[in-house]
Structure formats: C-alpha cells, structure tokens
Amino acid sequence: MTVYVRALETAVPPTLLIQTEARDVFAAQPGLTRLGTRLVSTCFDSAAIDTRYTAVRELTMDSRAENPQFFDPETGLLRSPSTKARNDLFAAEATKLFIEAAHAAVAKCAGIDPLDITHLITVSCTGFFNPGPDYKIVRALGLNPAVQRYHLGFMGCYAAFPALRAAKSFCEADPEAVVLVVCAELCSLHVRTSNDPDTIMGSALFADGAAAAVVTAREVPESTALLHLDHFETVLTPVGEDSMAWNIGDEGFEMVLGNYVPHIIDDHIVGALEPLLARDASLRGLPYRDITHWAIHPGGRSILDKVQSRLELTDEQLVPARETLRNFGNMSSATVLFVLKHILELPPRDGDERICSMAFGPGLTVETGLFTKVRQPVPDTPVPAAAEAESSLA
C-alpha cells in the first residue's frame, strides 16, 4: 500500500524580523558583559539568517502597546514576561497559525472535503493550552466532531517525523483514512536577553511558523500526489543527552543548545542513516550524493556544514535547507516541512525523485525519513516580501 502526501502548505505570522536589526537590539541590552556582547554579534552574524517571522507583534519599532510585555521601543529594552504571559500569547497566536496552515492544506487537496478527515495530528513544543489546537482546528475547519485527535507536545525540532510516521500507520491500518498533520511553533515567545551562550544562540536562530500536510492512501482522482511516504527510522546517539534540551523556566522555556551538537551529529550521522537506507535495497552502498534530494532540518548553519561535509553532498543538495534557514530561521518542528515544500517546488526531473530527510532534537534524537517526489505542485503565492511585512525591531 502506498501512502501519499497530497498537500503540503506553510504559514508564517505577519511580523518580519531583520537579523541585523535584531542583533543590534540584543547587543544593546543592559547587563550584558563584554563577552556577552561579543557573543551576540558572533551568533547573530554567523547564523546564515537574513529574515525570520514572529507572532510577537511588540517586536517592532512601530509597536505602540500601552503596557509592552516583550519589548519597549521607546527605551529599546527587551522585557522578561512570565511563562504564563508567554503561554497566553501562544494560545492566541498559535491558534491562528494552526488554523491557517490546516485550512490551506485541506483547500489545496482537490477531492478531499473537510468531513473526509478521519485523523488529526497536531504538533508543538512552544506552548500548551486545552481545549488545544486540535480542538480549534476541528471547529474552525468544520471537521467531523468524531475525528480522531492526537497532539504531539514538547518533542522538539524532529517532531514532524513522528507525526508523519503515525499518519502513515493510520493509513496503512485503514485504506480510507485521511490524516491531517499540522505543526505550529512560536519559538520567538521564549527569546530573552542573557549572557548565557545557549540563550544567545537560541535568540539568534529561532522563529515562528507552521506547516500542514494531508496524508492518505485513498484513491483521489482529482488530487495530485506529491510524495510517497516510504520509510521512517529513529536513532538515539550514544552521547549528547545534556547537549540539547528544552526546559520550562519561570520566564519562558529555556533552550540548551551546546556548541558540541554539530560535532555529535558529525560523528554519528552516518550510523543514524544506516537503518533507513537499509530499508531500500537500491540505496545500499550508494554514495549519499547519488540520492537526488536532501531535506535536512536546518538546526543551524554549523549543523548543515557538518552534514554536507560528512556525507559529501553538493552545494545544490543543501540549497533547500540553507534557503529555508536564511529566509525563515529555525521554526522547530515545522522547519523540515518548509524544506520539503521547497524541494517539491523545484523543477521536475525525469521520473520519480528520492528524498532523504532528517531532523535532530533533544536526546540527542535523529529522526530520518525516505520519500519519493512524485511531481511538482503548482507554486503558491509567495510569503509577503519584506517591503509588505511590518517594520521590525529584529
């Protein structure tokens, strides 16, 4: 049985963050040591990011909030709202992104009606509320109230893979199943000023965005099949448990992103790929660069550099990941779906095209997926250009 992704759509909030402007704001915060100021400049400038998007509308010089909680443009000071204040904003703004991405995916899937959705899987690690995003999507899209709902919470950047793997399993168990997978992350809610290198790195990398996919094995003559979901694998590296983590603090969620993470990935990426590629006899022993496409989660520029070097991939094969990082930053679980969408929109080649994909998260966990690109979708209207987005502080 072949399970297809028949729609893959993305969404971002309206406020655009310019990396150089964000750097200057963070570098000007009181309380930074001389080393902290240097780290801000180094982390922001070396991130290979030009723009990001945020759901925190206060993060703009044009903000006129009466009682700013996150940023005061008059003083230039970043504030430290409580975890509750951040989570309240998550409940309001993440709901919008979940619904926008979900609606776009279902609308793009010809031959599939909202009432055809049998399973809904939502994903996020940047906030919590209940009734949650799964409930909100059911109400907003008019899904069957009896749809089976599942939420994958607090897994981190690799969580799109467990969601897609679960969707594939549901479809294999029921050939008539139609699964809607929606990832939405508001990472920018948790940025703060600090001298801590991990916190500074998180402020330089993370952003907000959402992505949704419609997955089914059902025959839908009107709909275009985009991807075959071929195989998935999970590997835990033998080291790195303390190098990447995501904890809840009194003033937001706290990222641990040690500078040794790229080295751990460099040492263990080949072993992490072995069980995935062993699932397909045609790929065993094949040079990595002979697999047409690589959808790598851009956890950061140094991670992409290590993966490219270790696997001897071409610059062209890293373009989807690097361009996603450059234009959107690291949106946690949604990011790899942005990379896959970039690949789907590339000009088609002769025949089907294989895609090897991977994402990394706490543990250190390496999730991998093997897909087949069926054909190119019609390109969507692009995300609003910087000139059309809100002016920003960052």
Side-chain angles (χ1 to χ4, degrees), residues 257-343:
L257 189 62
N259 59 14
Y260 195 61
V261 168
H263 301 283
I264 297 172
I265 292 173
D266 185 30
D267 289 342
H268 298 285
I269 191 63
V270 170
L273 283 170
E274 284 178 356
L276 178 75
L277 300 182
R279 300 285 297 273
D280 189 322
S282 69
L283 300 180
R284 294 173 192 162
L286 194 70
Y288 298 111
R289 68 169 59 198
D290 286 354
I291 298 174
T292 308
H293 301 292
W294 287 80
I296 302 164
H297 168 68
R301 179 194 55 77
S302 57
I303 288 176
L304 295 179
D305 290 346
K306 291 293 186 182
V307 171
Q308 180 175 7
S309 176
R310 176 63 66 180
L311 302 182
E312 299 181 342
L313 302 179
T314 66
D315 289 344
E316 181 184 8
Q317 288 171 312
L318 268 290
V319 166
R322 293 195 190 277
E323 286 299 301
T324 297
L325 182 65
R326 183 175 306 281
N327 296 325
F328 299 100
N330 183 341
M331 300 164 285
S332 193
S333 67
T335 320
V336 74
L337 298 180
F338 276 68
V339 179
L340 281 169
K341 184 170 173 61
H342 185 120
I343 291 172

Coordinates of all heavy atoms in Angstrom, one line a residue, residues 257-343:
L257 N 21.4 24.4 24.0 CA 21.9 24.0 22.6 C 23.4 24.2 22.6 O 24.0 25.2 22.2 CB 21.3 25.0 21.6 CG 21.5 24.7 20.1 CD1 20.9 23.3 19.8 CD2 20.9 25.7 19.2
G258 N 24.1 23.1 23.2 CA 25.5 23.2 23.3 C 26.3 23.3 22.0 O 25.8 22.8 21.0
N259 N 27.4 23.9 22.1 CA 28.2 24.1 20.8 C 28.8 22.8 20.3 O 29.4 22.8 19.3 CB 29.3 25.2 21.0 CG 30.2 24.9 22.1 OD1 30.3 23.8 22.6 ND2 31.0 25.9 22.5
Y260 N 28.7 21.7 21.2 CA 29.2 20.4 20.7 C 28.2 19.7 19.9 O 28.6 18.6 19.3 CB 29.6 19.6 22.0 CG 30.5 18.4 21.6 CD1 31.7 18.6 21.1 CD2 30.0 17.1 21.9 CE1 32.5 17.5 20.7 CE2 30.8 16.0 21.6 CZ 32.1 16.2 21.0 OH 32.9 15.1 20.7
V261 N 27.0 20.1 19.8 CA 25.9 19.4 19.0 C 26.4 19.1 17.5 O 26.2 18.0 17.1 CB 24.6 20.2 19.0 CG1 23.6 19.6 18.0 CG2 24.0 20.1 20.4
P262 N 26.9 20.1 16.8 CA 27.3 19.8 15.4 C 28.4 18.7 15.4 O 28.4 17.9 14.4 CB 27.9 21.1 14.9 CG 27.2 22.2 15.7 CD 27.0 21.6 17.1
H263 N 29.2 18.6 16.4 CA 30.3 17.6 16.4 C 29.7 16.2 16.6 O 30.1 15.2 16.1 CB 31.3 17.9 17.4 CG 32.0 19.2 17.2 ND1 33.0 19.4 16.2 CD2 31.8 20.4 17.8 CE1 33.4 20.7 16.3 NE2 32.7 21.3 17.2
I264 N 28.6 16.2 17.5 CA 27.9 14.9 17.8 C 27.3 14.4 16.5 O 27.3 13.2 16.1 CB 26.9 15.1 18.9 CG1 27.6 15.4 20.2 CG2 26.1 13.8 19.0 CD1 26.6 15.8 21.3
I265 N 26.6 15.3 15.8 CA 26.0 15.0 14.5 C 27.0 14.5 13.5 O 26.8 13.5 12.8 CB 25.1 16.2 14.0 CG1 23.9 16.4 14.9 CG2 24.6 15.9 12.6 CD1 23.1 17.6 14.7
D266 N 28.1 15.2 13.4 CA 29.2 14.8 12.5 C 29.7 13.4 12.8 O 29.9 12.6 11.9 CB 30.3 15.8 12.7 CG 31.5 15.6 11.7 OD1 31.2 15.2 10.6 OD2 32.6 15.9 12.0
D267 N 29.8 13.1 14.1 CA 30.3 11.7 14.4 C 29.3 10.6 14.2 O 29.7 9.5 13.9 CB 30.7 11.7 15.9 CG 32.0 12.6 16.2 OD1 32.7 12.8 15.2 OD2 32.2 12.9 17.3
H268 N 28.0 10.9 14.2 CA 27.0 9.9 14.3 C 26.0 9.9 13.1 O 25.1 9.0 13.1 CB 26.3 9.9 15.6 CG 27.2 9.7 16.8 ND1 27.7 8.4 17.1 CD2 27.7 10.5 17.7 CE1 28.4 8.5 18.2 NE2 28.5 9.8 18.6
I269 N 26.1 10.8 12.2 CA 25.1 10.9 11.2 C 25.1 9.7 10.2 O 24.1 9.2 9.8 CB 25.3 12.2 10.4 CG1 24.1 12.5 9.5 CG2 26.6 12.2 9.6 CD1 22.8 12.6 10.2
V270 N 26.3 9.2 9.9 CA 26.4 8.0 9.0 C 25.7 6.8 9.7 O 24.9 6.1 9.0 CB 27.8 7.7 8.7 CG1 27.9 6.4 7.9 CG2 28.5 8.8 7.8
G271 N 26.0 6.6 10.9 CA 25.3 5.5 11.6 C 23.8 5.7 11.7 O 23.0 4.7 11.7
A272 N 23.4 6.9 11.9 CA 21.9 7.2 12.0 C 21.2 6.9 10.7 O 20.0 6.6 10.7 CB 21.7 8.7 12.5
L273 N 21.9 7.1 9.6 CA 21.3 6.9 8.3 C 21.2 5.4 7.9 O 20.4 5.0 7.1 CB 22.0 7.7 7.2 CG 21.7 9.2 7.1 CD1 22.7 9.8 6.2 CD2 20.3 9.4 6.7
E274 N 22.1 4.6 8.5 CA 22.2 3.2 8.1 C 20.9 2.4 8.1 O 20.5 1.8 7.1 CB 23.3 2.5 8.9 CG 24.7 2.8 8.5 CD 25.7 2.1 9.3 OE1 25.3 1.4 10.3 OE2 26.9 2.3 9.0
P275 N 20.1 2.5 9.2 CA 18.9 1.7 9.3 C 17.8 2.2 8.3 O 17.0 1.4 7.8 CB 18.4 1.9 10.7 CG 19.1 3.0 11.3 CD 20.4 3.1 10.5
L276 N 17.8 3.5 8.0 CA 16.9 4.0 7.0 C 17.2 3.5 5.6 O 16.4 3.0 4.9 CB 16.9 5.5 7.0 CG 15.9 6.2 6.0 CD1 14.5 6.0 6.4 CD2 16.3 7.6 5.8
L277 N 18.5 3.7 5.2 CA 18.8 3.3 3.8 C 18.9 1.8 3.6 O 18.7 1.3 2.5 CB 20.2 3.9 3.5 CG 20.3 5.5 3.6 CD1 21.7 6.0 3.2 CD2 19.2 6.1 2.7
A278 N 19.0 1.1 4.7 CA 18.9 -0.4 4.6 C 17.5 -0.9 4.2 O 17.4 -2.0 3.8 CB 19.4 -1.1 5.9
R279 N 16.5 -0.1 4.4 CA 15.2 -0.4 4.1 C 14.9 -0.5 2.6 O 13.9 -1.1 2.1 CB 14.2 0.6 4.7 CG 14.3 0.7 6.2 CD 13.6 -0.5 6.9 NE 12.2 -0.6 6.7 CZ 11.3 0.1 7.4 NH1 11.6 0.9 8.3 NH2 10.0 -0.1 7.1
D280 N 15.8 0.0 1.8 CA 15.7 0.1 0.3 C 16.9 -0.5 -0.3 O 18.0 0.1 -0.3 CB 15.4 1.5 -0.2 CG 15.0 1.5 -1.6 OD1 15.6 0.8 -2.4 OD2 14.2 2.4 -2.0
A281 N 16.8 -1.7 -0.9 CA 17.9 -2.4 -1.5 C 18.6 -1.5 -2.5 O 19.9 -1.6 -2.7 CB 17.5 -3.7 -2.1
S282 N 17.9 -0.7 -3.3 CA 18.5 0.1 -4.3 C 19.4 1.2 -3.8 O 20.2 1.8 -4.6 CB 17.4 0.7 -5.2 OG 16.7 1.7 -4.5
L283 N 19.4 1.5 -2.5 CA 20.2 2.5 -1.9 C 21.4 2.0 -1.1 O 22.2 2.8 -0.8 CB 19.3 3.4 -1.0 CG 18.1 4.1 -1.7 CD1 17.3 4.9 -0.7 CD2 18.5 5.0 -2.9
R284 N 21.4 0.8 -0.9 CA 22.5 0.2 -0.1 C 23.9 0.4 -0.8 O 24.0 -0.1 -2.0 CB 22.3 -1.3 0.2 CG 21.1 -1.5 1.1 CD 20.8 -3.0 1.3 NE 19.4 -3.2 1.9 CZ 18.8 -4.3 1.9 NH1 19.3 -5.3 1.2 NH2 17.6 -4.4 2.4
G285 N 24.8 1.0 -0.2 CA 26.1 1.2 -0.8 C 26.2 2.3 -1.8 O 27.3 2.6 -2.3
L286 N 25.1 3.0 -2.0 CA 25.0 4.1 -3.0 C 25.7 5.3 -2.3 O 25.4 5.6 -1.2 CB 23.6 4.4 -3.4 CG 23.4 5.3 -4.6 CD1 23.8 4.6 -5.9 CD2 21.9 5.7 -4.7
P287 N 26.5 6.1 -3.0 CA 27.1 7.3 -2.5 C 25.9 8.2 -2.1 O 24.9 8.3 -2.8 CB 27.9 7.9 -3.6 CG 28.3 6.7 -4.4 CD 27.1 5.8 -4.4
Y288 N 26.0 8.9 -1.0 CA 24.9 9.7 -0.5 C 24.5 10.8 -1.5 O 23.3 11.1 -1.7 CB 25.3 10.4 0.8 CG 25.6 9.4 1.9 CD1 26.9 9.3 2.4 CD2 24.6 8.7 2.5 CE1 27.2 8.4 3.4 CE2 24.9 7.8 3.5 CZ 26.2 7.6 4.0 OH 26.5 6.7 5.0
R289 N 25.5 11.4 -2.2 CA 25.1 12.4 -3.1 C 24.3 11.9 -4.4 O 23.8 12.7 -5.1 CB 26.4 13.2 -3.6 CG 27.3 12.3 -4.5 CD 28.4 13.2 -5.1 NE 29.1 14.0 -4.1 CZ 29.9 15.0 -4.3 NH1 29.9 15.6 -5.6 NH2 30.6 15.6 -3.4
D290 N 24.3 10.6 -4.5 CA 23.5 10.0 -5.6 C 22.0 9.9 -5.3 O 21.2 9.6 -6.2 CB 24.0 8.6 -6.0 CG 25.4 8.7 -6.7 OD1 25.8 9.8 -7.1 OD2 26.0 7.6 -7.0
I291 N 21.6 10.2 -4.1 CA 20.2 10.4 -3.7 C 19.9 11.8 -4.1 O 20.5 12.7 -3.7 CB 20.0 10.1 -2.2 CG1 20.3 8.7 -1.9 CG2 18.5 10.4 -1.9 CD1 20.2 8.4 -0.4
T292 N 18.8 12.0 -4.9 CA 18.6 13.2 -5.6 C 18.5 14.4 -4.6 O 19.2 15.4 -4.8 CB 17.3 13.2 -6.5 OG1 17.4 12.0 -7.3 CG2 17.2 14.4 -7.3
H293 N 17.6 14.3 -3.6 CA 17.3 15.4 -2.8 C 17.6 15.1 -1.3 O 17.4 14.0 -0.9 CB 15.8 15.8 -2.9 CG 15.4 16.2 -4.3 ND1 15.9 17.4 -4.9 CD2 14.6 15.7 -5.2 CE1 15.4 17.5 -6.1 NE2 14.6 16.5 -6.3
W294 N 18.0 16.1 -0.6 CA 18.2 16.0 0.9 C 17.5 17.1 1.6 O 17.7 18.3 1.4 CB 19.7 16.1 1.2 CG 20.4 14.8 0.8 CD1 20.8 14.5 -0.5 CD2 20.7 13.7 1.6 NE1 21.4 13.2 -0.5 CE2 21.3 12.7 0.8 CE3 20.6 13.4 3.0 CZ2 21.8 11.5 1.3 CZ3 21.0 12.2 3.5 CH2 21.6 11.3 2.6
A295 N 16.5 16.7 2.4 CA 15.7 17.6 3.2 C 16.2 17.6 4.6 O 15.7 16.8 5.4 CB 14.2 17.3 3.1
I296 N 17.1 18.4 4.9 CA 17.8 18.4 6.2 C 17.2 19.5 7.1 O 17.1 20.7 6.6 CB 19.3 18.6 6.1 CG1 19.9 17.5 5.2 CG2 20.0 18.5 7.4 CD1 21.3 17.8 4.7
H297 N 16.8 19.2 8.3 CA 16.4 20.2 9.2 C 17.5 21.2 9.5 O 18.6 20.8 10.0 CB 15.9 19.6 10.5 CG 15.7 20.6 11.6 ND1 14.7 21.6 11.6 CD2 16.4 20.9 12.8 CE1 14.7 22.3 12.6 NE2 15.7 21.9 13.4
P298 N 17.4 22.5 9.2 CA 18.5 23.4 9.4 C 18.5 23.9 10.9 O 18.1 25.1 11.2 CB 18.1 24.6 8.4 CG 16.6 24.5 8.3 CD 16.2 23.1 8.5
G299 N 19.0 23.1 11.7 CA 19.1 23.4 13.1 C 20.0 24.6 13.4 O 19.9 25.3 14.4
G300 N 20.9 24.8 12.4 CA 21.8 25.9 12.4 C 22.8 25.8 11.3 O 22.9 24.7 10.7
R301 N 23.5 26.8 11.0 CA 24.5 26.8 9.8 C 25.5 25.7 10.1 O 25.9 24.9 9.1 CB 25.1 28.1 9.6 CG 26.1 28.1 8.5 CD 27.0 29.4 8.5 NE 27.7 29.5 9.8 CZ 28.8 28.8 10.2 NH1 29.3 27.9 9.4 NH2 29.3 29.0 11.3
S302 N 26.1 25.6 11.3 CA 27.2 24.7 11.5 C 26.7 23.2 11.4 O 27.5 22.4 11.0 CB 27.8 24.9 12.9 OG 26.8 24.8 13.9
I303 N 25.4 23.0 11.8 CA 24.9 21.6 11.6 C 24.8 21.3 10.1 O 25.2 20.2 9.7 CB 23.5 21.5 12.3 CG1 23.7 21.5 13.8 CG2 22.8 20.2 11.8 CD1 22.4 21.5 14.5
L304 N 24.3 22.2 9.3 CA 24.3 21.9 7.9 C 25.7 21.7 7.3 O 25.9 20.9 6.4 CB 23.6 23.1 7.1 CG 22.1 23.3 7.5 CD1 21.5 24.4 6.7 CD2 21.3 22.0 7.2
D305 N 26.6 22.5 7.7 CA 28.0 22.4 7.3 C 28.6 21.0 7.6 O 29.2 20.3 6.7 CB 28.9 23.4 7.9 CG 28.6 24.8 7.4 OD1 27.9 25.0 6.4 OD2 29.1 25.8 8.0
K306 N 28.3 20.5 8.8 CA 28.8 19.2 9.2 C 28.2 18.1 8.4 O 28.8 17.1 7.9 CB 28.6 19.0 10.7 CG 29.4 19.8 11.6 CD 30.9 19.5 11.5 CE 31.7 20.3 12.6 NZ 33.1 20.0 12.5
V307 N 26.8 18.2 8.2 CA 26.1 17.1 7.4 C 26.6 17.1 6.0 O 26.9 16.0 5.4 CB 24.6 17.3 7.5 CG1 23.9 16.4 6.5 CG2 24.1 17.1 8.9
Q308 N 26.8 18.3 5.4 CA 27.2 18.3 4.0 C 28.6 17.7 3.8 O 28.9 17.0 2.9 CB 27.2 19.8 3.5 CG 27.7 19.9 2.0 CD 27.6 21.3 1.4 OE1 27.2 22.2 2.1 NE2 27.8 21.4 0.1
S309 N 29.5 18.1 4.8 CA 30.9 17.6 4.7 C 31.0 16.1 4.9 O 31.6 15.4 4.1 CB 31.7 18.4 5.7 OG 33.1 17.9 5.7
R310 N 30.3 15.6 5.9 CA 30.4 14.2 6.3 C 29.8 13.3 5.2 O 30.3 12.3 4.9 CB 29.7 14.0 7.6 CG 29.6 12.5 8.0 CD 31.0 11.9 8.3 NE 31.7 12.5 9.4 CZ 32.9 12.2 9.8 NH1 33.6 11.2 9.2 NH2 33.4 12.8 10.9
L311 N 28.7 13.8 4.6 CA 28.0 13.0 3.6 C 28.5 13.3 2.2 O 28.0 12.6 1.2 CB 26.5 13.1 3.7 CG 25.9 12.8 5.0 CD1 24.3 13.0 5.0 CD2 26.2 11.4 5.5
E312 N 29.3 14.3 2.0 CA 29.9 14.7 0.7 C 28.8 15.1 -0.2 O 28.7 14.6 -1.4 CB 30.8 13.6 0.1 CG 32.0 13.3 1.0 CD 32.9 12.2 0.4 OE1 32.4 11.5 -0.5 OE2 34.1 12.1 0.8
L313 N 27.8 15.9 0.3 CA 26.7 16.3 -0.6 C 27.1 17.6 -1.3 O 28.1 18.3 -0.9 CB 25.5 16.6 0.3 CG 25.0 15.5 1.2 CD1 23.8 16.0 2.0 CD2 24.6 14.3 0.3
T314 N 26.5 17.8 -2.4 CA 26.8 19.0 -3.2 C 26.1 20.2 -2.7 O 25.2 20.2 -1.9 CB 26.3 18.8 -4.7 OG1 24.8 18.8 -4.7 CG2 26.8 17.5 -5.3
D315 N 26.6 21.4 -3.1 CA 26.0 22.7 -2.7 C 24.6 22.7 -3.1 O 23.7 23.2 -2.3 CB 26.8 23.8 -3.2 CG 28.2 24.0 -2.6 OD1 28.4 23.5 -1.6 OD2 29.0 24.7 -3.2
E316 N 24.3 22.2 -4.3 CA 22.9 22.2 -4.8 C 22.0 21.4 -3.9 O 20.8 21.8 -3.6 CB 22.9 21.7 -6.2 CG 21.5 21.7 -6.8 CD 21.4 21.0 -8.2 OE1 22.4 20.4 -8.6 OE2 20.4 21.1 -8.8
Q317 N 22.4 20.3 -3.3 CA 21.6 19.5 -2.5 C 21.3 20.2 -1.1 O 20.3 19.8 -0.5 CB 22.3 18.1 -2.3 CG 22.2 17.3 -3.5 CD 23.1 16.0 -3.4 OE1 24.2 16.1 -2.9 NE2 22.5 14.9 -3.7
L318 N 22.1 21.1 -0.7 CA 21.9 21.8 0.5 C 21.1 23.1 0.3 O 20.7 23.8 1.3 CB 23.2 22.2 1.2 CG 23.8 21.2 2.2 CD1 22.9 21.2 3.5 CD2 23.9 19.8 1.6
V319 N 20.8 23.5 -0.9 CA 20.1 24.8 -1.1 C 18.7 24.8 -0.4 O 18.4 25.8 0.3 CB 19.9 25.0 -2.6 CG1 18.9 26.1 -2.9 CG2 21.2 25.4 -3.2
P320 N 17.8 23.8 -0.5 CA 16.5 23.9 0.2 C 16.7 24.1 1.7 O 15.9 24.9 2.3 CB 15.9 22.5 -0.1 CG 16.5 22.1 -1.4 CD 17.9 22.5 -1.3
A321 N 17.6 23.5 2.4 CA 17.8 23.7 3.8 C 18.4 25.0 4.1 O 17.9 25.7 5.0 CB 18.7 22.6 4.4
R322 N 19.4 25.4 3.3 CA 20.1 26.7 3.6 C 19.1 27.9 3.3 O 19.1 28.9 4.0 CB 21.4 26.8 2.8 CG 22.4 25.8 3.2 CD 23.8 26.2 2.7 NE 24.8 25.1 2.9 CZ 25.5 25.0 4.0 NH1 25.2 25.8 5.1 NH2 26.4 24.0 4.1
E323 N 18.4 27.8 2.2 CA 17.4 28.9 1.9 C 16.3 29.0 2.9 O 15.9 30.1 3.3 CB 16.9 28.7 0.5 CG 17.9 29.0 -0.6 CD 18.3 30.4 -0.6 OE1 17.5 31.3 -0.7 OE2 19.6 30.6 -0.4
T324 N 15.8 27.8 3.4 CA 14.8 27.9 4.5 C 15.4 28.6 5.7 O 14.7 29.4 6.4 CB 14.4 26.4 4.8 OG1 13.7 25.9 3.7 CG2 13.4 26.5 6.0
L325 N 16.6 28.2 6.1 CA 17.3 28.8 7.2 C 17.4 30.3 7.0 O 17.1 31.2 7.9 CB 18.6 28.2 7.5 CG 19.4 28.7 8.7 CD1 18.7 28.4 10.0 CD2 20.8 28.1 8.8
R326 N 17.9 30.7 5.8 CA 18.2 32.1 5.5 C 16.9 33.0 5.6 O 16.9 34.1 6.1 CB 18.8 32.2 4.1 CG 19.2 33.7 3.7 CD 19.9 33.7 2.4 NE 21.0 32.8 2.4 CZ 22.2 33.0 3.0 NH1 22.4 34.2 3.6 NH2 23.2 32.2 3.0
N327 N 15.8 32.4 5.1 CA 14.6 33.2 4.9 C 13.6 33.1 6.1 O 12.8 34.0 6.3 CB 13.8 32.8 3.7 CG 14.6 33.1 2.4 OD1 15.4 34.1 2.4 ND2 14.5 32.3 1.4
F328 N 13.7 32.0 6.9 CA 12.7 31.8 7.9 C 13.3 31.5 9.3 O 12.6 31.5 10.3 CB 11.8 30.6 7.5 CG 11.0 30.8 6.3 CD1 11.4 30.3 5.1 CD2 9.9 31.6 6.3 CE1 10.7 30.5 3.9 CE2 9.1 31.8 5.1 CZ 9.6 31.3 3.9
G329 N 14.6 31.1 9.4 CA 15.2 30.7 10.6 C 14.8 29.3 11.0 O 14.3 28.6 10.2
N330 N 15.0 29.0 12.2 CA 14.7 27.6 12.8 C 13.3 27.7 13.4 O 13.2 28.3 14.5 CB 15.8 27.2 13.7 CG 15.5 25.8 14.3 OD1 14.4 25.2 14.2 ND2 16.6 25.2 14.8
M331 N 12.3 27.1 12.8 CA 11.0 27.1 13.4 C 10.6 25.8 14.1 O 9.5 25.3 14.0 CB 10.0 27.4 12.2 CG 10.2 28.7 11.5 SD 9.3 28.8 9.9 CE 10.4 27.7 8.9
S332 N 11.6 25.1 14.6 CA 11.5 23.9 15.3 C 10.8 22.9 14.4 O 11.2 22.7 13.3 CB 10.7 24.1 16.6 OG 10.8 22.9 17.4
S333 N 9.7 22.2 14.9 CA 9.1 21.1 14.2 C 8.6 21.4 12.8 O 8.6 20.5 11.9 CB 8.0 20.4 15.0 OG 6.9 21.3 15.0
A334 N 8.2 22.6 12.5 CA 7.7 23.0 11.2 C 8.7 23.1 10.1 O 8.5 23.0 8.9 CB 6.9 24.3 11.3
T335 N 10.0 23.3 10.5 CA 11.0 23.7 9.6 C 11.3 22.7 8.5 O 11.4 23.0 7.3 CB 12.3 24.0 10.4 OG1 12.0 24.7 11.6 CG2 13.2 24.9 9.5
V336 N 11.4 21.4 8.8 CA 11.7 20.4 7.8 C 10.6 20.3 6.8 O 10.9 20.0 5.6 CB 12.0 19.1 8.5 CG1 10.8 18.4 9.0 CG2 12.8 18.1 7.5
L337 N 9.4 20.6 7.2 CA 8.3 20.6 6.2 C 8.4 21.8 5.2 O 8.0 21.7 4.0 CB 6.9 20.7 6.9 CG 6.7 19.5 7.8 CD1 5.3 19.6 8.5 CD2 6.8 18.1 7.0
F338 N 9.0 22.9 5.7 CA 9.3 24.0 4.8 C 10.4 23.6 3.8 O 10.3 23.9 2.6 CB 9.8 25.2 5.6 CG 8.8 26.1 6.1 CD1 7.9 25.7 7.2 CD2 8.6 27.4 5.7 CE1 7.0 26.6 7.7 CE2 7.7 28.3 6.2 CZ 6.8 27.8 7.2
V339 N 11.4 22.8 4.2 CA 12.4 22.3 3.4 C 11.8 21.4 2.3 O 12.2 21.5 1.1 CB 13.5 21.6 4.2 CG1 14.6 21.1 3.2 CG2 14.1 22.6 5.2
L340 N 11.0 20.5 2.8 CA 10.3 19.6 1.8 C 9.5 20.3 0.8 O 9.5 20.0 -0.4 CB 9.4 18.6 2.6 CG 10.2 17.4 3.3 CD1 9.2 16.7 4.2 CD2 10.7 16.4 2.2
K341 N 8.8 21.4 1.2 CA 8.0 22.1 0.3 C 8.9 22.8 -0.8 O 8.5 22.9 -2.0 CB 7.1 23.2 1.0 CG 6.2 24.0 0.1 CD 5.3 24.8 0.9 CE 4.4 25.8 0.1 NZ 3.6 25.0 -0.9
H342 N 10.0 23.3 -0.3 CA 11.0 23.9 -1.3 C 11.4 22.9 -2.3 O 11.4 23.2 -3.5 CB 12.2 24.4 -0.5 CG 13.2 25.1 -1.4 ND1 13.6 26.4 -1.1 CD2 14.0 24.7 -2.4 CE1 14.5 26.7 -2.0 NE2 14.8 25.7 -2.8
I343 N 11.6 21.6 -1.9 CA 12.0 20.6 -2.9 C 10.9 20.3 -3.8 O 11.1 20.1 -5.0 CB 12.5 19.3 -2.1 CG1 13.8 19.6 -1.4 CG2 12.6 18.1 -3.0 CD1 14.3 18.5 -0.4

